[in-house]
Amino acid sequence: MPGAFTTRVLDLTTGTAEAVTDLTSLCEKFLADTAGGRDGLLNVFVPHATAGIALIETGAGSDNDLLSALHVLLPADDRYQHRHGSPGHGRDHVLPALVPPHATLPVVGGRLELGTWQSVCLVDTNRDNPERQVRLSFLGTTAP
């Protein structure tokens, strides 16, 4: 039987454009491999200063709407004190204050418990860093 706590690091390439990347199937695969039908919590964490984790509907335009909203809230211009990298990169360092770098989600019977249209997504506006890691950690009950 798997241990009470299991973790895995995913290596992802998000590319050089702003992106909302759906991680739901990767989370489900991780739980299928590790949860063993148990209840618990899945923590999704991105250890980067310029990315976040969001629960959002994907495929119906909401992912692009999120990126558009972030452009309004955090314009990619020279207003930021943090100025290395591409123009407007300072906004990428403010992003995790609005889209946190983590989410903790319920797992019931070894399955991720999301709402009907919710997906677990990596939000990455940093065009300077196309390589990302996401840490998945399952903390489960000791018996099914």
Side-chain angles (χ1 to χ4, degrees):
M1 166 170 289
F5 180 81
T6 308
T7 192
R8 178 179 297 162
V9 176
L10 307 174
D11 293 309
L12 304 172
T13 300
T14 56
T16 57
E18 297 178 357
V20 175
T21 304
D22 191 340
L23 304 174
T24 309
S25 63
L26 295 171
C27 292
E28 290 169 342
K29 168 87 167 88
F30 170 70
L31 291 171
D33 292 346
T34 62
R38 297 174 293 152
D39 294 349
L41 296 171
L42 173 67
N43 182 264
V44 183
F45 175 70
V46 55
H48 298 282
T50 58
I53 300 294
L55 296 181
I56 190 170
E57 178 181 5
T58 59
S62 297
D63 35 0
N64 289 328
D65 290 341
L66 173 58
L67 293 175
S68 294
L70 289 171
H71 276 275
V72 172
L73 293 170
L74 301 171
D77 57 25
D78 65 355
R79 72 183 68 201
Y80 305 96
Q81 293 180 31
H82 188 104
R83 292 182 185 243
H84 77 83
S86 61
H89 175 65
R91 76 185 280 261
D92 301 327
H93 286 275
V94 178
L95 173 78
L98 300 175
V99 181
H102 59 87
T104 301
L105 308 166
V107 176
V108 177
R111 297 181 54 96
L112 194 55
E113 286 291 304
L114 294 174
T116 301
W117 301 111
Q118 288 180 317
S119 295
V120 182
C121 296
L122 171 65
V123 179
D124 187 359
T125 59
N126 183 354
R127 298 180 319 249
D128 296 337
N129 186 1
E131 303 299 323
R132 296 297 186 170
Q133 289 187 326
V134 175
R135 179 177 295 276
L136 304 178
S137 299
F138 175 68
L139 178 61
T141 57
T142 55

